[in-house]
Amino acid sequence: MSLKALVVDDSMLIRHTVCRYLEERGFSVETATNGQEALETLKRVHPDLIITDMQMPKMNGSEFITALKSKEETARIPVFLVAGKHGDSTKEKRADLKILKILKLKSNWLRR
């Protein structure tokens, strides 16, 4: 049985690239374009991990993670954050989350 992932990003290019990377490694993948859509997807899909962007329309990554962690059935799903740039902490509401490790990757890391 393959692992399931949910990829949440408003960029079609990022969604496609991350999905392809995961599928090549045996994951089955579902996608959503924002946090609101991802919460709807989670009503029918139970992923083993979630990869999400932080800056998205309708419901951003912080809001999505806060909603995700507030529900018992989704609170323990590991979440990987993908961010193209570091946000301004004075303007961005942060999710209450525990960051285990920050990975700084070069732009070509998905081509491997």
Side-chain angles (χ1 to χ4, degrees), residues 19 24 28 33 60 72 91-92 98 111:
C19 287
E24 287 173 355
S28 66
T33 61
N60 67 34
E72 187 176 329
K91 294 180 183 176
E92 182 180 319
K98 180 180 183 180
R111 294 186 187 126

Side-chain angles (χ1 to χ4, degrees), residues 34-77:
N34 60 62
Q36 185 177 349
E37 188 179 310
L39 290 176
E40 287 298 314
T41 301
L42 287 168
K43 291 178 181 177
R44 63 178 175 74
V45 175
H46 303 285
D48 297 293
L49 67 92
I50 296 171
I51 299 174
T52 186
D53 187 14
M54 289 303 282
Q55 297 179 343
M56 298 178 289
K58 293 187 182 176
M59 178 184 278
N60 67 34
S62 294
E63 295 164 331
F64 169 58
I65 293 166
T66 299
L68 182 77
K69 297 301 179 184
S70 72
K71 297 179 183 178
E72 187 176 329
E73 62 273 12
T74 57
R76 297 183 60 86
I77 301 171

Side-chain angles (χ1 to χ4, degrees), residues 78-79 97-103:
V79 178
L97 51 94
K98 180 180 183 180
I99 297 175
L100 300 176
K101 185 166 185 166
I102 296 174
L103 303 173

